[in-house]
Amino acid sequence: MGWDYALVYEIQVFMLTSTSANAPDSHLYYNIPPAVLLTVCYYPLCTKLDVYKIAVVSTTPWDSYLIRRRIWTYPPDAIVGPTLFSIPAEEIFFFVIQTYNTSLLYLFASKPTFHPVYLSGELPGGRGRRLKKWKWLGILLLVAAILTGAGLIVRGGQGLYLGRSHISSSSHYPSRTRLYRFPYPRSIFGSLIQLRCEEELGSLNQEQSLGGISGTAWTSSKLFYGRSLLHQLIHAREAFFFLITNTLIVFGLVAFDNALAILHAFPTLFPTVPALPSPVQLVKALLVSPTQYDDERILGLEEALRRLRRKSRSFYLASGCFQGRLRIDLVLLYSFCRVADDLVDNATSVSEARHWISKLTEFLDICYTDGTAKSETPDDFIRRTFPPKEQTALLQLPTTYLPPTPLYDLIKGFGTDLEFSSNTDFPILDEQTLQVYASRVAGTVAELCLELVFHHTNLPTIEDQRRKIVQAGGRMGIALQYVNISRDIAVDARIKRVYLPTEWLKFCNLRPLDVIQDPTSAGVEALRQRLLDKAMAIYNEAKGAIELLPSDSRAAMRVAVESYVEIGRVLQESRYKLKAGRATVPKLRRLKVAWTALRKG
């Protein structure tokens, strides 16, 4: 009988058909298996920060109090024996596993979420002004819940347990949400209600009880009113209490993520943030007034994420595997590259495109010129020169710790695209020309990504090894650009561009104009496969450098690379699906690739 509680627990019920001791409501059936399954599935995604988030909530004092007052008890023959503050070991285990399972489900659901974009300032015109009324509605609901609970406790009798649940949960919500600013006297409420609760609980008749499942736990009947649920196995008020506690766990995790988003999103407020911020730092972040938020930065992050999600599903999926300020800066870097490319590609004439290349170069000149020699600040230049919709991408580019050379080379690469509009020969003459172009438009971006990785990591890296990794990253960027070109042959042909080397085309008795007229011909397909073979060869040559990256970004970078290389693997298959003229990787296949890449650590 000592193991009955371990086999039968009256609260965690998913479905029940019997009230016997063999009812499938148990740690062994309904708590441990989900915990094991969630652990196995989430392990590749788990980081030290995720482990840091999972903490047991403060239900121990409440349960200990109820047991000492004999509001609920556990028959000696139904438990193993060891206790902590009068709470059986089985109950302690339930606290832990309930929190663990709920936390893992939350982490799964929120992993792709880019939390900084949900911060809301309160400056005029900001989203926070529109949300303010909802904040006050939440405050009113909390006050109503507290007052309702206080009334039930003061009245005593059957509503006491429900009232105490209201107070216990509602008093935690402000500290776990952005409603903490509401200046209600929480300490006064807490002191008076706890005192009244002790008086009422101590005076109740403790002999009457509702039998738990197979007698494993008894609860005083004067604490409850209403009907039971699931064949009287779970009392409605007890089910309500555990619904609240699970909600509190989620709100606690949301508050944690909210604090992290504030710490990571605003380097002007928090210049340095450790990998595992202390509780004091988290509280300081939550106490920052939204009027201090940089609304322009939040807007820039929103627009950057929108561009990433719309333009690159592969990198959008991979971005969720990066953490903190590294993830923010990678998203901002992509946004800048996308906007710069679009300014040139979407120009209505060659002269306009050259104008934007000139202005982008001038922007870099201002950013990387010594402060005393600047004619104007980068911000002033951006606001004066670029369209409003593109300004945030340039304003938020972290040029203070990005090297200038890759950025200048990237702009040079855009100049190659303009040569397709001239009356001269197509610019990609041979494989060497193709490699130079790919290095400029993609190898440079890979190098910039790696520079961000090394800037944000707290782990030491030997300088010589760092240089080799960056060089390999440049090569990997070329491989990914070859995949990109292979995928977009038909799309590029529509705008009269052919990136397949003219020398290769001659070998197949083709001209660039032939590709434009029929980008799906057998000859073009053969050259596509040739280019993909080149891409895979470079990929295999450079991928070993991923294993030399700092451990805090290695798995995420592997996901980014493998997600894009998978496009090439799809193109190498005999039959592949096209969407808007491009081969796509099915969603489930992308997820499988990401999960496999993460498993390698």
Side-chain angles (χ1 to χ4, degrees):
M1 290 294 291
W3 293 94
D4 282 0
Y5 186 89
L7 295 172
V8 184
Y9 189 78
E10 67 173 336
I11 304 303
Q12 283 288 85
V13 176
F14 289 82
M15 61 180 66
L16 290 174
T17 58
S18 170
T19 59
S20 69
N22 293 322
D25 170 30
S26 65
H27 287 320
L28 297 180
Y29 284 99
Y30 289 109
N31 290 327
I32 295 176
V36 172
L37 179 62
L38 286 168
T39 300
V40 170
C41 293
Y42 193 74
Y43 180 77
L45 296 167
C46 191
T47 64
K48 291 181 180 179
L49 190 60
D50 290 334
V51 176
Y52 188 47
K53 290 179 185 179
I54 302 176
V56 179
V57 291
S58 55
T59 56
T60 300
W62 168 231
D63 278 31
S64 177
Y65 178 82
L66 294 179
I67 294 169
R68 288 176 183 274
R69 292 284 184 167
R70 297 187 62 79
I71 304 308
W72 69 43
T73 60
Y74 303 87
D77 60 347
I79 59 176
V80 176
T83 62
L84 177 67
F85 303 117
S86 301
I87 305 174
E90 296 90 341
E91 178 86 347
I92 297 294
F93 176 76
F94 174 72
F95 297 163
V96 174
I97 202 166
Q98 177 199 24
T99 303
Y100 182 76
N101 286 344
T102 303
S103 298
L104 280 184
L105 285 172
Y106 169 85
L107 292 173
F108 255 123
S110 65
K111 193 67 176 179
T113 305
F114 190 48
H115 294 99
V117 301
Y118 294 100
L119 295 173
S120 301
E122 293 186 351
L123 297 178
R127 184 177 58 181
R129 302 284 291 184
R130 299 193 299 271
L131 295 177
K132 198 169 183 178
K133 61 181 180 180
W134 295 106
K135 183 185 77 172
W136 286 105
L137 176 60
I139 290 172
L140 291 175
L141 291 175
L142 282 178
V143 171
I146 291 172
L147 293 177
T148 300
L152 291 171
I153 291 174
V154 170
R155 188 174 64 182
Q158 290 182 320
L160 182 59
Y161 187 88
L162 180 60
R164 182 60 182 84
S165 297
H166 270 81
I167 296 299
S168 176
S169 58
S170 298
S171 63
H172 281 74
Y173 271 99
S175 64
R176 294 172 183 268
T177 67
R178 295 299 297 174
L179 302 181
Y180 64 85
R181 296 190 203 88
F182 178 59
Y184 70 88
R186 176 182 168 185
S187 58
I188 297 177
F189 266 114
S191 300
L192 293 177
I193 292 167
Q194 290 285 357
L195 177 62
R196 178 61 180 164
C197 187
E198 289 180 9
E199 294 174 356
E200 284 294 331
L201 292 175
S203 65
L204 288 174
N205 182 350
Q206 297 150 2
E207 297 300 321
Q208 294 179 329
S209 63
L210 287 172
I213 302 174
S214 300
T216 58
W218 298 337
T219 313
S220 175
S221 60
K222 285 199 173 184
L223 290 174
F224 300 93
Y225 59 81
R227 295 187 178 184
S228 299
L229 299 178
L230 299 175
H231 305 295
Q232 296 187 348
L233 292 175
I234 305 178
H235 200 283
R237 306 314 167 213
E238 186 70 358
F240 172 73
F241 174 74
F242 275 90
L243 172 64
I244 290 177
T245 58
N246 276 281
T247 305
L248 281 173
I249 293 170
V250 172
F251 268 68
L253 291 165
V254 169
F256 196 112
D257 283 334
N258 188 17
L260 286 176
I262 297 168
L263 289 172
H264 292 147
F266 306 122
T268 54
L269 296 177
F270 301 95
T272 58
V273 179
L276 301 177
S278 68
V280 173
Q281 288 176 305
L282 295 172
V283 172
K284 283 183 178 179
L286 289 174
L287 292 175
V288 172
S289 171
T291 57
Q292 295 181 259
Y293 292 175
D294 186 344
D295 280 19
E296 191 170 56
R297 183 166 174 82
I298 296 174
L299 177 62
L301 292 172
E302 290 176 352
E303 293 179 350
L305 185 68
R306 195 177 303 118
R307 291 187 187 102
L308 177 60
R309 183 168 49 221
R310 185 175 67 249
K311 296 290 187 175
S312 180
R313 289 179 297 175
S314 297
F315 287 142
Y316 175 70
L317 173 66
S319 71
C321 300
F322 291 95
Q323 302 178 67
R325 287 184 176 171
L326 174 58
R327 182 182 184 184
I328 290 174
D329 282 345
L330 288 171
V331 172
L332 292 175
L333 174 61
Y334 178 89
S335 180
F336 168 79
C337 297
R338 184 75 269 158
V339 164
D341 189 31
D342 288 347
L343 281 171
V344 177
D345 281 351
N346 297 337
T348 56
S349 65
V350 175
S351 60
E352 182 186 347
R354 295 193 187 282
H355 165 78
W356 289 124
I357 288 178
S358 174
K359 292 303 178 182
L360 288 168
T361 303
E362 191 175 350
F363 160 69
L364 295 178
D365 290 341
I366 294 174
C367 289
Y368 290 104
T369 299
D370 181 66
T372 57
K374 291 180 180 179
S375 58
E376 63 181 327
T377 66
D379 287 15
D380 290 340
F381 176 77
I382 291 168
R383 299 181 199 283
R384 178 175 63 82
T385 306
F386 293 93
K389 290 184 178 180
E390 279 72 37
Q391 289 179 3
T392 58
L394 285 83
L395 288 168
Q396 301 303 326
L397 181 67
T399 54
T400 53
Y401 42 85
L402 283 175
T405 302
L407 289 168
Y408 279 107
D409 287 345
L410 175 66
I411 304 304
K412 288 180 183 177
F414 297 153
T416 303
D417 292 331
L418 299 185
E419 296 180 29
F420 287 102
S421 301
S422 65
N423 295 323
T424 60
D425 293 334
F426 282 77
I428 309 299
L429 301 175
D430 51 29
E431 187 175 334
Q432 179 61 31
T433 312
L434 174 63
Q435 185 169 311
V436 171
Y437 170 76
S439 176
R440 286 177 175 174
V441 299
T444 55
V445 177
E447 292 175 18
L448 291 167
C449 290
L450 291 172
E451 292 294 346
L452 290 175
V453 166
F454 290 120
H455 174 78
H456 288 290
T457 186
N458 295 318
L459 303 175
T461 306
I462 301 173
E463 186 60 32
D464 184 58
Q465 179 174 304
R466 172 174 173 167
R467 186 167 52 254
K468 290 180 180 178
I469 292 172
V470 172
Q471 289 175 352
R475 293 287 291 166
M476 184 64 77
I478 293 173
L480 299 186
Q481 183 62 21
Y482 284 4
V483 171
N484 190 5
I485 292 171
S486 301
R487 181 193 63 182
D488 292 348
I489 291 176
V491 174
D492 291 330
R494 292 177 198 153
I495 55 175
K496 300 187 182 333
R497 293 182 182 180
V498 178
Y499 291 96
L500 293 171
T502 304
E503 189 177 83
W504 289 11
L505 294 173
K506 289 180 180 179
F507 185 78
C508 296
N509 296 319
L510 293 172
R511 299 171 303 160
L513 290 177
D514 296 329
V515 179
I516 293 173
Q517 292 172 1
D518 187 6
T520 61
S521 67
V524 173
E525 185 61 34
L527 292 178
R528 186 203 309 273
Q529 297 305 318
R530 180 178 176 180
L531 185 56
L532 286 171
D533 289 341
K534 293 284 184 181
M536 293 304 172
I538 299 174
Y539 157 76
N540 288 321
E541 163 204 322
K543 69 178 181 180
I546 295 176
E547 309 311 317
L548 303 177
L549 286 170
S551 59
D552 53 5
S553 58
R554 183 187 307 141
M557 190 62 72
R558 189 186 298 112
V559 172
V561 171
E562 294 296 335
S563 296
Y564 212 83
V565 170
E566 194 66 17
I567 298 173
R569 297 191 182 105
V570 168
L571 288 167
Q572 287 182 316
E573 297 172 358
S574 57
R575 294 181 181 179
Y576 50 84
K577 294 182 179 180
L578 295 176
K579 185 176 182 180
R582 293 173 170 172
T584 60
V585 182
K587 189 172 184 178
L588 288 179
R589 182 168 172 174
R590 290 201 306 270
L591 293 174
K592 181 181 178 182
V593 168
W595 195 76
T596 302
L598 287 168
R599 283 187 60 194
K600 295 179 181 178

